[in-house]
Amino acid sequence: MDFNLLSEQFKGYKNKSITDQVLGYDKLIDLMGEIKGKRVLDYGCGSGDFSRQLVGKGASVLGADISESMIEEAEKKIDKNFADKINYVIVKNNQLPLLSDNSFDFVVMNFVICTISEKSIVEQIFKEVFRLLKPGGQLFVLNVNWDKSNGHEFLSFKLDKVDDLKSGDKVGSILKWDDNIRIADYFWSQSNYRHFFEKAGFGNVKIKEILAIGREHPWVDEINYSPFFIISGQK
Ligand SMILES: C[S@@+](CC[C@H](N)C(=O)[O-])C[C@H]1O[C@@H](n2cnc3c(N)ncnc32)[C@H](O)[C@@H]1O
């Protein structure tokens, strides 16, 4: 997969996605609890939108991504007032060898594993972030909820209807902004994710699904189908 191209496409989408922000990122921040003063690794940070949100809440953040162009973009967007609280690094071979064991309170991975087709790479990433977390630290993974929302349409995106969905299958969706953008991801089920967490050594693994409540936004299927799930585990 061309991660630079993917990241370029995703960059424009970010600012327009109410579903992602309200039912994804905002819920993730709620679930993380107290983040002020905490050290967070945003693995697969893209252009750093979520890293900046975490810094705005008082965390100190390292964003890491395989895409050099995304890291350049994220660096350009660093707010001078928060420059001592945010740094970015490029990931090589799914590892961050210069970082010490047990150095983060939280790791977040938002919409990253869905871009990876090989189970062995996913397992390497989980192993590496487990190493980097402090004992008691938590990993949170935010992802599209294909198990429950296959074929559904949301305010900001629409998932194809895919029959006989199997782990590792390519799945398509449309990001609804300006000219709709078609993207392809890989399907990993909620139980695959649970396995990735447990195989890496995480305990206390929990899955949270989120439905929209009320009509503050012109929701489509968000009221009845959860567009995302957040899975977390503790070292
Ligand atoms: C769909 S984007 C999501 C970006 C960001 N997390 C967000 O929520 O806006 C997926 C990101 O994961 C990165 N990525 C994919 N595979 C990776 C890997 N093996 N290691 C680190 N980053 C990776 C891509 O370069 C891309 O920036």
Side-chain angles (χ1 to χ4, degrees), residues 1-8 10 41-49 51 62-75 87-96 99 108-113 115-116 125:
M1 185 174 280
D2 179 344
F3 286 111
N4 287 330
L5 173 65
L6 172 83
S7 301
E8 276 305 309
F10 208 65
L41 171 64
D42 184 0
Y43 189 96
C45 61
S47 58
D49 298 77
S51 303
L62 180 70
D65 202 285
I66 199 172
S67 158
E68 291 180 26
S69 68
M70 277 299 100
I71 292 295
E72 273 172 31
E73 186 71 27
E75 281 174 338
N87 281 293
Y88 292 102
V89 288
I90 294 167
V91 178
K92 294 250 160 62
N93 300 320
N94 315 305
Q95 293 191 327
L96 292 160
L99 302 180
V108 293
M109 278 201 287
N110 302 328
F111 309 114
V112 178
I113 302 305
T115 66
I116 298 173
I125 294 173

